[in-house]
């Protein structure tokens, strides 16, 4: 006999109602935004150029949200290429915001968190094809012990030497830093930086906060460890109002229609900012 539980239905209905209310709230902004979409790509009179920082994890055909398919990734890169977006590096962003260097029009940055081996197999050739440069934030203890599913030090060295990928830190163990002591945070920051610098013969200048968690005290420890900046998973564009130790990003996921979701995410940011979202 089949038993249907009404209790199981209730939370889903509640979620739908919430979604409907959120859509209602956003509708006036969406309808009135065509002229504002240009602000996502252009200049803000006060805060200067807006930089889009894309955040990916895996680039492969697993059917999970963290895995953007290689053909979808290729299509997204083609969109950026065809629409006059200019790929810059985290160091370019630092020079522009901290030293007043010029930025190209419609600047964007490509980042990958965790250092999955599909970044080497799938993302690296696609970036090479479009002449773009990406940044991979690696978890150094994973590379040290040859953790399966992640890039090796050899692959990291090859990508770094090619000039196509820039290897930066995602700490030693990927522990959420808001749960660690100061001594542990310093170890995560300092030792991952040293490890990459010694293995790859480069200067490590940026870190991505594992799981995105941080606070201003942690940001001060990042600066103390010698980093020029740090990336969060806060949703939004980057401009001169941004904190270089809490840089916003736009997460790109696999969805039912990954390409449309990608285009929406590039364009919805002004709406978030107009809803009173404040950079900190
Ligand atoms: Zn991560």
């Amino acid at each position: 006999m089949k038993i249907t539980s009404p209790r199981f239905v209730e939370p889903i209905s509640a979620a739908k109602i919430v979604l409907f209310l959120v859509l209602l709230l956003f509708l006036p902004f969406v309808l009135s935004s065509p002229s504002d979409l240009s602000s996502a790509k252009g200049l803000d009179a006060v805060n200067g150029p807006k930089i889009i920082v894309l955040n990916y994890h895996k680039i492969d055909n697993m059917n999970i949200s963290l895995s953007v398919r290689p053909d979808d990734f290729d299509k997204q890169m083609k969109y950026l290429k065809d629409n006059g977006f200019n790929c810059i590096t985290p160091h370019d962003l630092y020079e522009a915001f901290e030293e007043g260097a010029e930025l190209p029009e419609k600047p964007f940055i490509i980042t990958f968190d965790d250092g999955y081996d599909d970044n080497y197999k799938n993302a690296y050739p696609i970036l090479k094809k479009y002449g773009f440069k990406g940044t991979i934030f690696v978890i150094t203890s994973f590379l040290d012990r040859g953790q399966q599913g992640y890039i090796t030090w050899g692959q990291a060295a090859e990508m770094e030497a090619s000039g196509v990928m820039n290897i930066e830190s995602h700490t030693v163990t990927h522990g959420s830093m808001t749960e660690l002591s100061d001594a542990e945070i310093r170890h995560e920051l300092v030792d991952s930086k040293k490890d990459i610098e010694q293995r790859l013969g480069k200067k490590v200048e940026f870190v991505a906060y594992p799981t995105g968690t941080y606070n201003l005290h942690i940001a001060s420890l990042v600066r103390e460890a010698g980093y020029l900046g740090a990336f969060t998973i806060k949703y939004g564009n980057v401009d001169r109002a941004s904190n270089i130790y809490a840089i916003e990003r736009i997460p790109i996921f696999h969805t039912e229609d990954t390409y449309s979701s990608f285009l929406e995410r590039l364009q919805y940011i002004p709406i978030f900012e107009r809803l009173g979202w404040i950079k900190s």
Side-chain angles (χ1 to χ4, degrees):
M1 196 172 84
K2 209 174 167 188
I3 301 165
T4 50
S5 161
R7 269 194 223 160
F8 206 76
V9 179
E10 272 167 21
I12 297 166
S13 305
K16 278 186 180 160
I17 291 166
V18 170
L19 186 67
F20 179 69
L21 289 175
V22 168
L23 285 174
L24 264 187
L25 181 71
F26 274 64
L27 198 61
F29 291 95
V30 174
L31 293 177
S32 69
S33 61
S35 61
D36 296 329
L37 292 182
S38 59
S39 72
K41 299 164 184 173
L43 286 167
D44 176 312
V46 180
N47 294 321
K50 300 241 176 232
I51 302 173
I52 292 168
V53 185
L54 302 173
N55 180 209
Y56 295 92
H57 286 80
K58 294 177 69 59
I59 305 295
D60 72 3
N61 287 309
M62 286 174 78
N63 219 10
I64 55 169
S65 63
L66 278 190
S67 288
V68 171
R69 292 198 179 115
D71 56 342
D72 280 324
F73 182 70
D74 189 298
K75 215 168 154 188
Q76 293 169 9
M77 296 302 110
K78 186 174 186 317
Y79 172 85
L80 294 163
K81 189 84 181 174
D82 291 348
N83 287 278
F85 286 85
N86 287 296
C87 189
I88 64 163
T89 64
H91 191 85
D92 295 332
L93 180 152
Y94 170 83
E95 284 191 343
F97 288 169
E98 302 297 314
E99 296 170 356
E102 286 263 333
L103 280 175
E105 266 183 44
K106 294 162 84 169
F108 77 101
I109 293 174
I110 307 163
T111 67
F112 303 89
D113 283 11
D114 304 337
Y116 297 103
D117 56 1
D118 53 62
N119 293 178
Y120 175 78
K121 285 182 218 144
N122 301 327
Y124 173 44
I126 293 170
L127 292 187
K128 204 186 267 182
K129 181 170 100 180
Y130 288 104
F132 290 160
K133 184 161 182 167
T135 293
I136 303 179
F137 294 103
V138 299
I139 305 156
T140 54
S141 65
F142 287 18
L143 274 69
D144 285 345
R145 61 169 183 257
Q147 180 104 1
Q148 230 190 339
Y150 294 84
I151 58 169
T152 64
W153 280 117
Q155 290 167 341
E158 182 193 328
M159 290 190 282
E160 178 72 38
S162 74
V164 174
M165 287 288 198
N166 170 38
I167 308 295
E168 302 284 343
S169 172
H170 201 28
T171 76
V172 177
T173 69
H174 201 266
S176 169
M177 289 204 265
T178 49
E179 282 153 37
L180 302 179
S181 68
D182 281 10
E184 287 167 331
I185 294 170
R186 286 195 177 96
H187 157 68
E188 293 284 349
L189 293 168
V190 172
D191 292 340
S192 60
K193 188 174 191 295
K194 230 186 263 172
D195 200 3
I196 302 169
E197 288 179 346
Q198 283 169 1
R199 300 247 190 194
L200 304 185
K202 62 163 283 178
K203 203 151 175 51
V204 171
E205 300 178 320
F206 298 91
V207 62
Y209 296 110
T211 73
T213 51
Y214 76 100
N215 55 40
L216 290 181
H217 172 64
I218 293 168
S220 75
L221 296 179
V222 172
R223 181 197 289 261
E224 180 197 285
Y227 290 92
L228 299 182
F231 290 81
T232 66
I233 51 169
K234 268 193 307 177
Y235 190 104
N237 272 333
V238 181
D239 61 27
R240 285 185 207 284
S242 300
N243 177 347
I244 196 131
Y245 288 97
I247 299 168
E248 297 83 359
R249 291 192 286 181
I250 301 172
I252 305 297
F253 295 116
H254 165 74
T255 67
E256 275 178 23
D257 186 346
T258 302
Y259 189 59
S260 303
S261 306
F262 169 76
L263 296 181
E264 281 168 9
R265 287 193 165 229
L266 290 190
Q267 296 182 339
Y268 274 179
I269 307 129
I271 301 166
F272 278 84
E273 291 184 350
R274 274 167 44 177
L275 285 172
W277 176 82
I278 293 163
K279 294 171 186 287
S280 62

PDB file of all heavy atoms in Angstrom, residues 57 113-114 116 137 139 170 174 208-212, ligand 1:
ATOM      1  N   HIS A  57      35.102  25.643 -10.319  1.00  0.00           N
ATOM      2  CA  HIS A  57      35.756  24.563  -9.575  1.00  0.00           C
ATOM      3  C   HIS A  57      36.206  23.508 -10.581  1.00  0.00           C
ATOM      4  O   HIS A  57      37.304  23.578 -11.069  1.00  0.00           O
ATOM      5  CB  HIS A  57      34.816  23.990  -8.507  1.00  0.00           C
ATOM      6  CG  HIS A  57      34.643  24.899  -7.333  1.00  0.00           C
ATOM      7  ND1 HIS A  57      33.807  25.975  -7.348  1.00  0.00           N
ATOM      8  CD2 HIS A  57      35.234  24.905  -6.114  1.00  0.00           C
ATOM      9  CE1 HIS A  57      33.884  26.612  -6.187  1.00  0.00           C
ATOM     10  NE2 HIS A  57      34.744  25.980  -5.419  1.00  0.00           N
ATOM     11  N   ASP A 113      38.992  27.112  -8.058  1.00  0.00           N
ATOM     12  CA  ASP A 113      39.332  26.754  -6.681  1.00  0.00           C
ATOM     13  C   ASP A 113      39.606  25.254  -6.551  1.00  0.00           C
ATOM     14  O   ASP A 113      38.980  24.448  -7.238  1.00  0.00           O
ATOM     15  CB  ASP A 113      38.183  27.117  -5.731  1.00  0.00           C
ATOM     16  CG  ASP A 113      38.139  28.617  -5.430  1.00  0.00           C
ATOM     17  OD1 ASP A 113      38.849  29.385  -6.104  1.00  0.00           O
ATOM     18  OD2 ASP A 113      37.377  29.000  -4.523  1.00  0.00           O
ATOM     19  N   ASP A 114      40.503  24.908  -5.665  1.00  0.00           N
ATOM     20  CA  ASP A 114      40.798  23.538  -5.201  1.00  0.00           C
ATOM     21  C   ASP A 114      41.863  22.794  -6.015  1.00  0.00           C
ATOM     22  O   ASP A 114      42.475  21.875  -5.498  1.00  0.00           O
ATOM     23  CB  ASP A 114      39.537  22.640  -5.108  1.00  0.00           C
ATOM     24  CG  ASP A 114      38.459  23.253  -4.220  1.00  0.00           C
ATOM     25  OD1 ASP A 114      38.807  24.083  -3.355  1.00  0.00           O
ATOM     26  OD2 ASP A 114      37.284  22.907  -4.405  1.00  0.00           O
ATOM     27  N   TYR A 116      41.542  20.905  -9.097  1.00  0.00           N
ATOM     28  CA  TYR A 116      41.145  19.599  -9.644  1.00  0.00           C
ATOM     29  C   TYR A 116      41.945  19.295 -10.913  1.00  0.00           C
ATOM     30  O   TYR A 116      42.282  20.202 -11.676  1.00  0.00           O
ATOM     31  CB  TYR A 116      39.646  19.594  -9.958  1.00  0.00           C
ATOM     32  CG  TYR A 116      38.797  19.774  -8.725  1.00  0.00           C
ATOM     33  CD1 TYR A 116      38.206  20.999  -8.430  1.00  0.00           C
ATOM     34  CD2 TYR A 116      38.625  18.720  -7.827  1.00  0.00           C
ATOM     35  CE1 TYR A 116      37.441  21.168  -7.287  1.00  0.00           C
ATOM     36  CE2 TYR A 116      37.867  18.892  -6.674  1.00  0.00           C
ATOM     37  CZ  TYR A 116      37.282  20.111  -6.409  1.00  0.00           C
ATOM     38  OH  TYR A 116      36.539  20.292  -5.272  1.00  0.00           O
ATOM     39  N   PHE A 137      43.749  28.156  -7.575  1.00  0.00           N
ATOM     40  CA  PHE A 137      44.074  28.202  -6.153  1.00  0.00           C
ATOM     41  C   PHE A 137      44.206  26.755  -5.664  1.00  0.00           C
ATOM     42  O   PHE A 137      43.214  26.022  -5.626  1.00  0.00           O
ATOM     43  CB  PHE A 137      42.987  28.949  -5.375  1.00  0.00           C
ATOM     44  CG  PHE A 137      42.911  30.415  -5.734  1.00  0.00           C
ATOM     45  CD1 PHE A 137      41.905  30.893  -6.562  1.00  0.00           C
ATOM     46  CD2 PHE A 137      43.864  31.313  -5.249  1.00  0.00           C
ATOM     47  CE1 PHE A 137      41.840  32.246  -6.897  1.00  0.00           C
ATOM     48  CE2 PHE A 137      43.807  32.670  -5.591  1.00  0.00           C
ATOM     49  CZ  PHE A 137      42.789  33.130  -6.407  1.00  0.00           C
ATOM     50  N   ILE A 139      45.418  23.533  -3.003  1.00  0.00           N
ATOM     51  CA  ILE A 139      45.540  23.118  -1.600  1.00  0.00           C
ATOM     52  C   ILE A 139      46.852  22.344  -1.526  1.00  0.00           C
ATOM     53  O   ILE A 139      46.956  21.226  -2.032  1.00  0.00           O
ATOM     54  CB  ILE A 139      44.345  22.220  -1.217  1.00  0.00           C
ATOM     55  CG1 ILE A 139      43.018  22.938  -1.524  1.00  0.00           C
ATOM     56  CG2 ILE A 139      44.423  21.797   0.242  1.00  0.00           C
ATOM     57  CD1 ILE A 139      41.844  21.997  -1.744  1.00  0.00           C
ATOM     58  N   HIS A 170      45.368  28.129  -1.944  1.00  0.00           N
ATOM     59  CA  HIS A 170      44.040  27.886  -1.351  1.00  0.00           C
ATOM     60  C   HIS A 170      44.301  27.244   0.024  1.00  0.00           C
ATOM     61  O   HIS A 170      43.519  26.418   0.460  1.00  0.00           O
ATOM     62  CB  HIS A 170      43.246  26.968  -2.265  1.00  0.00           C
ATOM     63  CG  HIS A 170      41.757  27.016  -2.090  1.00  0.00           C
ATOM     64  ND1 HIS A 170      41.076  28.125  -1.630  1.00  0.00           N
ATOM     65  CD2 HIS A 170      40.792  26.070  -2.322  1.00  0.00           C
ATOM     66  CE1 HIS A 170      39.779  27.851  -1.601  1.00  0.00           C
ATOM     67  NE2 HIS A 170      39.587  26.611  -2.001  1.00  0.00           N
ATOM     68  N   HIS A 174      42.834  23.430   3.445  1.00  0.00           N
ATOM     69  CA  HIS A 174      41.463  23.823   3.081  1.00  0.00           C
ATOM     70  C   HIS A 174      40.550  23.920   4.311  1.00  0.00           C
ATOM     71  O   HIS A 174      39.320  23.844   4.214  1.00  0.00           O
ATOM     72  CB  HIS A 174      40.860  22.846   2.057  1.00  0.00           C
ATOM     73  CG  HIS A 174      39.709  23.419   1.265  1.00  0.00           C
ATOM     74  ND1 HIS A 174      38.388  23.257   1.624  1.00  0.00           N
ATOM     75  CD2 HIS A 174      39.681  24.150   0.126  1.00  0.00           C
ATOM     76  CE1 HIS A 174      37.607  23.853   0.730  1.00  0.00           C
ATOM     77  NE2 HIS A 174      38.369  24.408  -0.187  1.00  0.00           N
ATOM     78  N   ALA A 208      42.799  32.269  -1.971  1.00  0.00           N
ATOM     79  CA  ALA A 208      41.323  32.216  -1.968  1.00  0.00           C
ATOM     80  C   ALA A 208      40.932  31.564  -0.654  1.00  0.00           C
ATOM     81  O   ALA A 208      41.473  30.510  -0.292  1.00  0.00           O
ATOM     82  CB  ALA A 208      40.808  31.400  -3.151  1.00  0.00           C
ATOM     83  N   TYR A 209      40.028  32.218   0.094  1.00  0.00           N
ATOM     84  CA  TYR A 209      39.612  31.689   1.393  1.00  0.00           C
ATOM     85  C   TYR A 209      38.886  30.355   1.204  1.00  0.00           C
ATOM     86  O   TYR A 209      37.867  30.316   0.494  1.00  0.00           O
ATOM     87  CB  TYR A 209      38.661  32.672   2.095  1.00  0.00           C
ATOM     88  CG  TYR A 209      39.281  34.000   2.447  1.00  0.00           C
ATOM     89  CD1 TYR A 209      38.917  35.167   1.775  1.00  0.00           C
ATOM     90  CD2 TYR A 209      40.228  34.097   3.479  1.00  0.00           C
ATOM     91  CE1 TYR A 209      39.479  36.401   2.105  1.00  0.00           C
ATOM     92  CE2 TYR A 209      40.794  35.323   3.812  1.00  0.00           C
ATOM     93  CZ  TYR A 209      40.416  36.466   3.122  1.00  0.00           C
ATOM     94  OH  TYR A 209      40.973  37.678   3.445  1.00  0.00           O
ATOM     95  N   PRO A 210      39.359  29.275   1.846  1.00  0.00           N
ATOM     96  CA  PRO A 210      38.653  27.986   1.727  1.00  0.00           C
ATOM     97  C   PRO A 210      37.226  28.133   2.241  1.00  0.00           C
ATOM     98  O   PRO A 210      37.005  28.745   3.293  1.00  0.00           O
ATOM     99  CB  PRO A 210      39.448  27.047   2.632  1.00  0.00           C
ATOM    100  CG  PRO A 210      40.803  27.670   2.730  1.00  0.00           C
ATOM    101  CD  PRO A 210      40.564  29.152   2.671  1.00  0.00           C
ATOM    102  N   THR A 211      36.278  27.603   1.501  1.00  0.00           N
ATOM    103  CA  THR A 211      34.836  27.694   1.774  1.00  0.00           C
ATOM    104  C   THR A 211      34.347  29.151   1.823  1.00  0.00           C
ATOM    105  O   THR A 211      33.198  29.409   2.185  1.00  0.00           O
ATOM    106  CB  THR A 211      34.394  26.965   3.083  1.00  0.00           C
ATOM    107  OG1 THR A 211      34.831  27.729   4.217  1.00  0.00           O
ATOM    108  CG2 THR A 211      34.973  25.569   3.170  1.00  0.00           C
ATOM    109  N   GLY A 212      35.216  30.081   1.489  1.00  0.00           N
ATOM    110  CA  GLY A 212      34.815  31.491   1.415  1.00  0.00           C
ATOM    111  C   GLY A 212      34.758  32.214   2.753  1.00  0.00           C
ATOM    112  O   GLY A 212      34.496  33.406   2.806  1.00  0.00           O
TER     113      GLY A 212
HETATM  114 ZN1  LIG B   1      37.822  25.345  -2.009  1.00  0.00          ZN
END
